[in-house]
Amino acid sequence: MLNLIQNVLDCEERNDLRQFASQLKQSGPRYLLRNDILSDFSKYCADQEKPDYFYHSSNLGRLIYYTQEIILDQESLYLIIRPKIAEQEAFQVLEDLTVEPITIQTLLDVRDRFVNHYRPNEGDVLELDFKPFYDYSPIIRDSKNIGKGVQFLNRFLSSKLFQDPRQWQESLFNFLSLHEVQGTQLLINGRIKSQQQLSDQVKLALGFVSDRAEDEPYESFRFKLQDMGFEAGWGNTASRVRETLEILDELIDSPDHQGLEEFLSRIPMIFRIVLVSIHGWFGQEGVLGRPDTGGQVVYVLDQARSLEKQLQEDIKLAGLELLKVKPKVIILSRLIPNNDGTRCNERLEKVHGTDNAWILRVPFREFNPNYTQNWISRFEIWPYLETYAIDAEKELRAEFQGVPDFIVGNYSDGNLVAFLLSRRMDVTQCIVAHALEKSKYLFSNLYWQELEDQYHFSIQFTADLIAMNAANFIISSTYQEIVGKPDSVGQYESYQNFTMPDLYHVVNGIELFSPKFNVVPPGVNEQVYFPYTRSEDRVPRDCERLEELLFTLDDPSQVYGKLDDPTKRPLFSIARLDRIKNLTGLTECFGKSKALQEQCNLIFVAGKLRTEDSTDNEEKDEIVKLYRLIDEYNLHGKIRWLGVRLPKLDSGEIYRVIADHRGIFVQPALFEAFGLTILEAMISGLPTFGTQFGGPLEIIQDKVNGFLINPTNLEETAQKILEFLSKCEQNPDYWLEISNRGMERVYSTYTWKIHTSRLLSLARIYGFWNYTSKEKREDLLRYIESLFYLIYKPRAQQLLEEHLKR
């Protein structure tokens, strides 16, 4: 990038840079992000009557394109440039246009000064740097392979271990000797005493099973294999046992990383799983639409069902049914005594549609009953998590009669609890962020002190740093969740370096090229969400009831707004009422477009109808704003606002009823980490318009199976919807074409079967390498514990003291 800056300075564009900087400084000190920078540069080009190519193709235009941030102070201009994905460079441009590269430490000082938190002794602030702990781990070189961590790790460590055949065979022998379930030894027994004997016995067993009928059940020759040293776990039929032993035989003699992954994916290693989801109302009925619930609750419940089903299938294929082995999945959540009509005050609740999956709710300890007895916002939950983890460990050990095999954390608070549990029980753990607040709230780290009373970001961002660095591996739903795209920063990437003035500087917060990152998108519950065309699976009575609710029901307790013409094409959305979900933005977009109002009705399902019924401040603000917009644009007769909590089955059917009316689904979020509602709408058959900011960018192939919108550009969003409607008028089959392509997209890529197969494979492979490589993580974990006890815990305790006073 220094060369590009020099090219600007060495040509006539030098004066353009000077004038552009002068134009920016006219408003005084400013901190500009990429959208603002591009907007201001476009204005500069227009004001200066530059030719069309200048904005995109000039040296200065290219420099501006790569610039993510500009910080202006009285004397200098600071450019933070992102030359490529996951890389950043910073430069200081002085008034005489002298350019100097600056270090991350200097940049963080500049950011501090910008928010008037300049400290006389620069550098007199705690610096957090995780980079040294990744220096001894394999690192991915090419950014396009970020998110494919297990493939890289398996290939790298396999080649390293395979170089020493004796060490490889000994590691494999020891690993196979470990496995047992319910006190019963699996895979190999004491008759095989060494790696050499393992190799000999595998060949002997192969000869034995090869002479048997392919479909002969394992039980009929079980004892013969035991005499050879092989216990249950190799397969349920002669052919399955033979296939598994053949893979092992090949691995012993001619090892390769692909064979190792195939072998580990067959090994019965995981039977007991914990999914941690602490905050919010976690239940199966009556919780969706409440504050802090939504996609995450749906995700975890669907994941639990799918994991149990996959484990049952794996156990059957491994031949363990005869041992009466049953998997168990526990969703660890919070027990809320004042349950507000939900089942969140029940300690144990079976997950619908499962044999042995449960919601285990553990209460917070009694501090201030106003908090520990009631729901607490995700921003206020932090003081209770350490004692919660201690109590949850006891409950989990009792439920499992031992420790789990695998722990999955969800969201920032659940990820922290997953770390604490994993540390105490020495269990492989992964984390799923779902959404990182730091990306959702601009400048949230820079102005954390002003936002602390409401959001407590200092605690949350510290918890994020702890969890993401402690995890054995990280699951993301999309690639860009990790490192964004060429013109935008990823959620995890935003933790690479940042400042929290007067608290600490993060010099290296996470190694983006670490093989711990894996992209494993979630799926859709196909029992609930399925195409509108599957009429045989739909219940006519439910269709009629929801039809009335959506279009004609006159019940002020559930619905606001009556439609003058219910036959107009519905624009439909469903989301929580918070600023990021941006239903108010969609309403304003609709209000500003007379053409949309002529052709469509706007219908959405969203939270409460009245501020007095809500306990969430952000929801209250959005409710007030919605009523104001409806009045301001006179949308009465054109809009329906359903303030209802839909049961799970109704939430699936409501998409299909909209599809019956040839409707459109619009997801207008300012940022969406993934976008489960987009999958739900697409699989139901609704042509879908989704935000271009976040996960939908990878789900929707624009103008192929859906449409991407910029929800901050209301006019452009309206125009894209109108273009779609125009094409539908010209070609009556166009709605069907997009509908069918959307369904095909989901079925080919986003199913829970694909997700859970991959997740369990990852857990086995990372578990194997954690054991065989003997990776020394204790130094990293001790560093993380220092962060927990010296920063997180004191600040959480301070918040608890505030709670006790309220």
Side-chain angles (χ1 to χ4, degrees):
M1 275 298 114
L2 189 57
N3 289 337
L4 182 54
I5 296 174
Q6 197 59 51
N7 289 341
V8 173
L9 298 179
D10 288 345
C11 69
E12 64 274 9
E13 294 173 26
R14 175 188 181 92
N15 287 331
D16 288 299
L17 174 59
R18 190 193 303 275
Q19 291 177 48
F20 181 52
S22 176
Q23 176 181 304
L24 293 178
K25 287 184 177 181
Q26 287 176 7
S27 302
R30 297 174 67 195
Y31 200 129
L32 299 154
L33 299 181
R34 190 171 188 274
N35 281 347
D36 301 320
I37 295 166
L38 293 175
S39 176
D40 284 346
F41 186 61
S42 176
K43 183 176 183 301
Y44 171 80
C45 291
D47 291 345
Q48 299 297 317
E49 298 182 348
K50 294 291 182 181
D52 291 342
Y53 82 89
F54 192 86
Y55 178 83
H56 296 286
S57 306
S58 66
N59 288 321
L60 181 56
R62 287 168 54 225
L63 175 63
I64 295 300
Y65 174 81
Y66 289 113
T67 302
Q68 287 293 321
E69 303 172 25
I70 291 178
I71 305 173
L72 297 144
D73 65 16
Q74 297 299 328
E75 299 178 356
S76 300
L77 176 88
Y78 295 91
L79 302 177
I80 295 87
I81 299 173
R82 190 168 176 262
K84 55 178 131 176
I85 280 175
E87 291 189 19
Q88 177 182 287
E89 299 173 12
F91 301 90
Q92 179 182 17
V93 182
L94 301 172
E95 286 189 328
D96 63 356
L97 296 188
T98 301
V99 178
E100 297 177 358
I102 61 173
T103 64
I104 292 299
Q105 288 86 342
T106 301
L107 174 60
L108 298 180
D109 285 336
V110 170
R111 287 170 171 160
D112 280 0
R113 287 201 301 272
F114 180 81
V115 292
N116 297 320
H117 290 289
Y118 175 80
R119 300 173 66 88
N121 299 315
E122 285 194 46
D124 185 21
V125 64
L126 174 65
E127 286 190 351
L128 304 180
D129 188 354
F130 285 91
K131 190 174 190 315
F133 299 106
Y134 291 94
D135 285 346
Y136 304 101
S137 301
I139 296 296
I140 293 169
R141 299 298 173 194
D142 191 335
S143 62
K144 73 173 179 292
N145 291 323
I146 292 173
K148 303 174 183 176
V150 75
Q151 299 171 27
F152 174 84
L153 180 73
N154 199 37
R155 191 165 55 245
F156 178 88
L157 293 180
S158 295
S159 63
K160 190 175 178 182
L161 188 56
F162 295 161
Q163 289 172 8
D164 185 341
R166 182 176 177 80
Q167 182 191 356
W168 154 242
Q169 292 176 16
E170 184 177 351
S171 296
L172 184 60
F173 168 74
N174 291 336
F175 183 72
L176 293 177
S177 303
L178 286 176
H179 297 293
E180 59 87 31
V181 61
Q182 299 171 1
T184 301
Q185 182 66 33
L186 299 178
L187 300 176
I188 61 176
N189 58 39
R191 292 183 175 86
I192 299 177
K193 302 183 183 302
S194 68
Q195 63 268 28
Q196 183 55 52
Q197 191 179 3
L198 173 64
S199 178
D200 295 340
Q201 292 301 100
V202 166
K203 288 176 170 53
L204 183 65
L206 266 174
F208 169 73
V209 295
S210 296
D211 292 336
R212 313 192 81 80
E214 288 199 350
D215 59 352
E216 183 177 349
Y218 164 72
E219 189 170 5
S220 70
F221 55 87
R222 170 187 180 188
F223 298 111
K224 290 284 188 182
L225 281 182
Q226 274 186 329
D227 288 341
M228 298 179 197
F230 297 97
E231 295 291 340
W234 297 98
N236 61 332
T237 62
S239 62
R240 178 78 179 183
V241 172
R242 188 189 70 246
E243 289 169 8
T244 308
L245 289 172
E246 283 174 345
I247 297 169
L248 177 58
D249 187 48
E250 186 72 18
L251 269 178
I252 293 172
D253 294 339
S254 304
D256 71 84
H257 67 277
Q258 291 173 325
L260 179 59
E261 181 169 350
E262 185 181 2
F263 178 68
L264 292 175
S265 296
R266 286 172 171 248
I267 294 300
M269 297 164 53
I270 298 172
F271 306 98
R272 298 162 296 193
I273 298 176
V274 179
L275 308 176
V276 188
S277 182
I278 307 300
H279 76 262
W281 301 86
F282 198 101
Q284 300 181 82
E285 302 99 10
V287 298
L288 295 184
R290 292 177 184 268
D292 286 354
T293 58
Q296 182 181 327
V297 173
V298 174
Y299 177 108
V300 176
L301 282 169
D302 288 347
Q303 186 184 57
R305 292 187 189 94
S306 185
L307 279 169
E308 186 200 46
K309 189 174 181 181
Q310 188 62 51
L311 287 173
Q312 288 171 338
E313 184 179 317
D314 292 347
I315 286 168
K316 180 179 180 180
L317 287 173
L320 299 182
E321 282 188 316
L322 62 92
L323 299 180
K324 309 295 186 202
V325 175
K326 292 184 178 180
K328 188 168 189 175
V329 179
I330 288 180
I331 299 170
L332 178 64
S333 192
R334 184 197 161 206
L335 187 147
I336 306 175
N338 293 338
N339 62 318
D340 194 24
T342 71
R343 297 182 67 180
C344 292
N345 64 332
E346 296 180 16
R347 176 184 177 273
L348 206 58
E349 179 186 355
K350 193 174 183 181
V351 175
H352 301 332
T354 68
D355 296 322
N356 202 18
W358 304 84
I359 302 170
L360 172 64
R361 300 186 183 94
V362 178
F364 287 162
R365 287 194 191 170
E366 286 293 334
F367 293 105
N368 179 350
N370 288 330
Y371 285 86
T372 52
Q373 296 288 316
N374 296 300
W375 166 80
I376 307 174
S377 160
R378 69 186 187 274
F379 298 115
E380 300 274 338
I381 203 170
W382 308 105
Y384 310 97
L385 297 184
E386 184 182 15
T387 52
Y388 177 89
I390 294 169
D391 297 340
E393 181 192 357
K394 298 172 188 173
E395 298 278 356
L396 289 170
R397 285 181 182 273
E399 288 297 321
F400 285 126
Q401 294 297 295
V403 299
D405 303 309
F406 181 41
I407 298 175
V408 182
N410 290 275
Y411 199 74
S412 297
D413 52 335
N415 290 337
L416 184 75
V417 171
F419 156 68
L420 295 170
L421 289 171
S422 173
R423 183 70 165 141
R424 293 173 67 88
M425 295 191 283
D426 193 24
V427 175
T428 299
Q429 62 123 346
C430 86
I431 65 168
V432 187
H434 295 287
L436 293 164
E437 305 287 357
K438 186 172 175 295
S439 301
K440 290 163 63 175
Y441 294 84
L442 294 180
F443 298 121
S444 50
N445 61 286
L446 209 56
Y447 294 102
W448 71 271
Q449 286 160 303
E450 288 83 347
L451 300 168
E452 191 72 354
D453 286 346
Q454 183 176 359
Y455 294 112
H456 308 288
F457 285 140
S458 69
I459 310 176
Q460 180 157 8
F461 298 167
T462 304
D464 287 335
L465 287 171
I466 289 170
M468 64 180 66
N469 284 287
N472 295 108
F473 63 100
I474 297 172
I475 292 297
S476 71
S477 297
T478 62
Y479 172 83
Q480 63 176 308
E481 187 180 330
I482 309 169
V483 287
K485 47 186 181 153
D487 58 355
S488 65
V489 173
Q491 290 188 63
Y492 284 98
E493 187 180 358
S494 73
Y495 282 77
Q496 259 195 310
N497 62 77
F498 63 94
T499 175
M500 302 196 78
D502 288 338
L503 183 62
Y504 54 65
H505 284 175
V506 177
V507 178
N508 287 284
I510 184 67
E511 175 53 74
L512 299 171
F513 290 84
S514 166
K516 69 167 54 183
F517 284 104
N518 293 273
V519 176
V520 185
V524 184
N525 184 337
E526 295 172 49
Q527 302 303 310
V528 175
Y529 304 99
F530 54 83
Y532 74 101
T533 52
R534 271 171 45 188
S535 55
E536 69 276 10
D537 294 322
R538 300 177 66 180
V539 180
R541 187 179 301 168
D542 290 341
C543 297
E544 293 168 8
R545 177 172 50 80
L546 291 171
E547 176 99 17
E548 182 185 12
L549 176 65
L550 281 165
F551 298 103
T552 58
L553 180 68
D554 185 7
D555 182 355
S557 68
Q558 298 186 72
V559 183
Y560 177 82
K562 297 179 182 179
L563 299 178
D564 293 338
D565 182 1
T567 64
K568 286 183 181 179
R569 192 188 300 267
L571 295 182
F572 178 68
S573 194
I574 181 169
R576 295 192 313 272
L577 263 182
D578 63 32
R579 186 180 63 82
I580 296 297
K581 294 299 182 184
N582 194 38
L583 285 176
T584 51
L586 176 60
T587 303
E588 187 170 6
C589 171
F590 183 71
K592 287 186 171 182
S593 175
K594 294 297 183 183
L596 271 183
Q597 294 172 41
E598 287 173 6
Q599 298 187 56
C600 302
N601 290 316
L602 177 60
I603 303 173
F604 53 80
V605 180
K608 305 285 199 311
L609 295 175
R610 287 169 287 277
T611 55
E612 57 267 27
D613 294 334
S614 175
T615 56
D616 184 88
N617 290 331
E618 198 163 281
E619 184 177 48
K620 289 179 181 180
D621 291 342
E622 292 297 291
I623 291 171
V624 171
K625 188 175 180 181
L626 263 176
Y627 282 121
R628 178 179 61 77
L629 289 168
I630 291 169
D631 289 339
E632 179 180 344
Y633 293 104
N634 191 24
L635 297 178
H636 303 286
K638 305 168 186 175
I639 193 168
R640 291 269 286 179
W641 170 5
L642 280 61
V644 294
R645 296 193 186 102
L646 294 172
K648 191 69 173 288
L649 293 177
D650 282 358
S651 70
E653 186 59 38
I654 206 163
Y655 288 109
R656 293 188 285 272
V657 172
I658 295 292
D660 291 336
H661 288 256
R662 292 297 188 264
I664 298 168
F665 181 75
V666 185
Q667 203 269 32
L670 299 175
F671 178 83
E672 183 61 64
F674 180 63
L676 271 178
T677 55
I678 284 178
L679 293 186
E680 293 165 2
M682 289 173 75
I683 200 172
S684 301
L686 280 174
T688 298
F689 289 73
T691 178
Q692 68 186 32
F693 301 122
L697 191 69
E698 291 180 38
I699 299 173
I700 294 172
Q701 296 162 314
D702 193 30
K703 300 178 183 176
V704 176
N705 47 42
F707 304 87
L708 294 168
I709 57 173
N710 178 351
T712 64
N713 189 327
L714 304 182
E715 184 179 341
E716 180 185 273
T717 296
Q719 188 57 40
K720 285 193 174 184
I721 297 173
L722 288 167
E723 286 173 5
F724 172 77
L725 296 176
S726 175
K727 288 184 178 180
C728 289
E729 286 182 10
Q730 296 167 20
N731 175 11
D733 291 333
Y734 187 63
W735 187 95
L736 281 172
E737 289 174 15
I738 298 299
S739 170
N740 289 333
R741 288 182 203 154
M743 290 187 280
E744 289 167 9
R745 174 67 169 164
V746 178
Y747 279 121
S748 67
T749 312
Y750 298 102
T751 69
W752 279 112
K753 171 72 173 173
I754 296 170
H755 172 94
T756 49
S757 296
R758 191 60 182 151
L759 178 58
L760 289 173
S761 178
L762 291 172
R764 294 180 180 114
I765 294 168
Y766 280 94
F768 173 77
W769 285 117
N770 286 341
Y771 171 77
T772 56
S773 65
K774 308 294 184 188
E775 183 185 359
K776 300 297 183 184
R777 284 170 28 100
E778 194 61 26
D779 52 354
L780 168 62
L781 294 171
R782 287 297 185 187
Y783 186 78
I784 287 170
E785 284 182 339
S786 298
L787 194 57
F788 178 83
Y789 288 109
L790 297 178
I791 298 179
Y792 175 92
K793 191 169 180 177
R795 300 199 69 83
Q797 183 63 34
Q798 183 180 340
L799 178 56
L800 178 61
E801 290 170 2
E802 292 175 15
H803 286 183
L804 292 173
K805 294 175 185 176
R806 295 177 188 174

